[in-house]
Amino acid sequence: MAVSRPGGRTARVRADVLRAAGDLVAERGFAQLDLAEVARRAEVGRTTVYRRWGTAIALVTDLLLDMAEQSSPRADTGDLAEDLRANARLVQRTLADERQGALFKAVIAAATWDEQAATALRGFYRTRVDEWAPCVVAAIDRGELPAGSDAKAVIRAVSAPLYYELLITGQVPDEPAADRAAHAAFLAARAGAFVEARPARSS
Amino acid sequence: MAVSRPGGRTARVRADVLRAAGDLVAERGFAQLDLAEVARRAEVGRTTVYRRWGTAIALVTDLLLDMAEQSSPRADTGDLAEDLRANARLVQRTLADERQGALFKAVIAAATWDEQAATALRGFYRTRVDEWAPCVVAAIDRGELPAGSDAKAVIRAVSAPLYYELLITGQVPDEPAADRAAHAAFLAARAGAFVEARPARSS
């Protein structure tokens, strides 16, 4: 997706470097990411890349931060079932996209053995879950969901089956899978599945 | 878990080799699995290992097959919510187990780039889902779930949030997480989330 970015040369250099890094991770996996090759592909001075990012993991962390920032804002249709479907379809399109899907698989695999990759990945999902959780909060305020429902848990529940398909069942999720995931999370949430347990209060 | 196995020397050799292979994958990941080292650890002749398994992936496939066969049979309490909780806790204990958790993470990571590892992984989950799906079928027969519910989809829905925690959120799921996953899948299923869409029939 072409995104026009504000800022001058510095912003353009970052965009070029992150695009090259993303391409390389998607093509060969995280373990093969070499900063000199990123610089060559991005047509940016090697010193610039080493000075600004320094390590492959710093580059991937910045790439995921950028993707989290550039990714679509939450829906706000006034209907939670619709909002969750929009969220599920966004996740599904990302995982089904050839380049982004490969990138995520590479980073998720790396996160199983590399603590810094895991931290970068968690940062990405925290940003995305924080972006979408207000849909659920609004639905609670409208009385669509029981009070005390954990908004972030609802958003994570939409994604979980799609990642399970991708990583465990080994299928790239399609749009009907996204709709099923959203629908299941919605029905579970409405039935009170994500109401946070809290200790009974005396008095 | 110590399991007494029937069969003589051949079965003992298989058990020893699979144990050594599982240890090595858990320690160092799938990419580092070396048949000669497996033979050394298992105190089994190298020729036997090469003749019987031949490749690292054949060994891991057999290891997952063995784990699927040795894993606990389905619960049958007469109450779907209980059965799903038993399933979730079994998955959670496996993922939280130091050796088995590391083994699964290694094979899941390998499955993102290695088609044979992906096939082995899919075989494991197919066996486990087939083992547990009859709980859901029985619940449909008892009228606990709507007719037409996809039994395997319900079982997969129990596991999905636990794998999401392990791989994406980067937390080893605990027993309350297992209970929440089972409860959410149960509520969604009861509300009809897994009823298979089918074309309307005329006449």
Side-chain angles (χ1 to χ4, degrees):
Chain A
M1 128 194 88
V3 179
S4 79
R5 287 164 192 264
R9 205 185 105 74
T10 305
R12 277 201 310 281
V13 165
R14 180 176 180 233
D16 290 344
V17 167
L18 295 185
R19 192 178 315 108
D23 288 345
L24 283 167
V25 172
E27 283 166 27
R28 296 190 218 151
F30 171 75
Q32 309 297 324
L33 189 64
D34 174 57
L35 264 60
E37 194 173 1
V38 171
R40 212 157 38 236
R41 279 246 192 149
E43 298 179 10
V44 164
R46 193 192 283 216
T47 320
T48 305
V49 174
Y50 279 107
R51 198 185 308 127
R52 180 141 175 204
W53 287 277
T55 64
I57 187 65
L59 197 47
V60 169
T61 303
D62 198 30
L63 177 63
L64 289 178
L65 178 67
D66 183 64
M67 289 178 74
E69 284 165 355
Q70 300 292 324
S71 185
S72 306
R74 64 178 164 273
D76 182 14
T77 64
D79 174 346
L80 182 62
E82 284 293 329
D83 289 349
L84 295 183
R85 185 156 56 214
N87 178 254
R89 288 185 174 188
L90 175 63
V91 172
Q92 181 268 324
R93 282 196 305 274
T94 303
L95 298 182
D97 178 85
E98 200 176 341
R99 181 177 177 281
Q100 292 188 88
L103 179 66
F104 274 98
K105 278 165 74 164
V107 177
I108 291 165
T112 66
W113 67 77
D114 184 309
E115 190 44 50
Q116 293 182 292
T119 302
L121 193 65
R122 280 199 294 274
F124 174 84
Y125 289 104
R126 198 164 36 239
T127 304
R128 298 309 299 156
V129 169
D130 287 350
E131 170 63 24
W132 282 81
C135 297
V136 183
V137 174
I140 298 168
D141 291 343
R142 288 192 303 266
E144 281 193 76
L145 290 194
S149 294
D150 179 343
K152 294 181 185 182
V154 175
I155 298 299
R156 287 192 298 264
V158 172
S159 282
L162 303 174
Y163 282 90
Y164 185 84
E165 277 204 19
L166 182 76
L167 298 167
I168 307 297
T169 324
Q171 283 172 319
V172 177
D174 58 12
E175 195 170 83
D179 293 354
R180 284 194 301 271
H183 187 54
F186 173 73
L187 291 176
R190 203 172 57 177
F194 303 106
V195 175
E196 291 174 280
R198 64 192 68 182
R201 278 198 284 175
S202 54
S203 94
Chain B
M1 128 195 85
V3 179
S4 79
R5 289 165 191 264
R9 205 185 106 73
T10 305
R12 277 201 310 279
V13 164
R14 180 176 180 234
D16 290 345
V17 166
L18 295 184
R19 191 175 317 107
D23 288 345
L24 282 167
V25 172
E27 283 166 28
R28 296 189 218 151
F30 171 75
Q32 309 297 326
L33 188 64
D34 174 56
L35 265 60
E37 193 173 1
V38 170
R40 215 161 31 240
R41 279 247 191 148
E43 299 180 9
V44 164
R46 192 193 285 217
T47 319
T48 305
V49 174
Y50 279 107
R51 199 185 306 129
R52 180 141 176 203
W53 288 277
T55 64
I57 186 64
L59 198 46
V60 169
T61 302
D62 197 32
L63 176 63
L64 289 178
L65 177 68
D66 183 65
M67 288 178 73
E69 285 165 354
Q70 300 292 324
S71 185
S72 307
R74 64 178 165 273
D76 182 15
T77 64
D79 174 346
L80 182 62
E82 284 294 329
D83 289 350
L84 295 183
R85 184 155 56 213
N87 178 255
R89 288 185 175 188
L90 176 63
V91 172
Q92 181 269 323
R93 282 196 305 273
T94 303
L95 298 182
D97 178 85
E98 199 176 344
R99 181 177 177 282
Q100 293 188 88
L103 179 65
F104 274 98
K105 278 166 73 164
V107 177
I108 291 166
T112 66
W113 68 76
D114 184 307
E115 190 45 50
Q116 293 182 293
T119 302
L121 193 64
R122 281 199 293 274
F124 174 84
Y125 289 104
R126 197 162 39 238
T127 305
R128 298 309 299 156
V129 170
D130 286 351
E131 170 62 24
W132 282 81
C135 296
V136 182
V137 174
I140 297 168
D141 291 344
R142 288 191 303 264
E144 280 193 77
L145 290 194
S149 294
D150 179 342
K152 293 180 186 182
V154 176
I155 298 299
R156 287 193 297 264
V158 172
S159 282
L162 303 173
Y163 282 90
Y164 185 85
E165 277 204 19
L166 183 75
L167 298 167
I168 307 295
T169 324
Q171 282 173 320
V172 177
D174 58 11
E175 195 170 84
D179 293 353
R180 284 194 301 271
H183 187 54
F186 173 72
L187 291 176
R190 201 173 57 178
F194 303 106
V195 175
E196 291 174 281
R198 64 191 68 183
R201 276 197 285 175
S202 53
S203 91

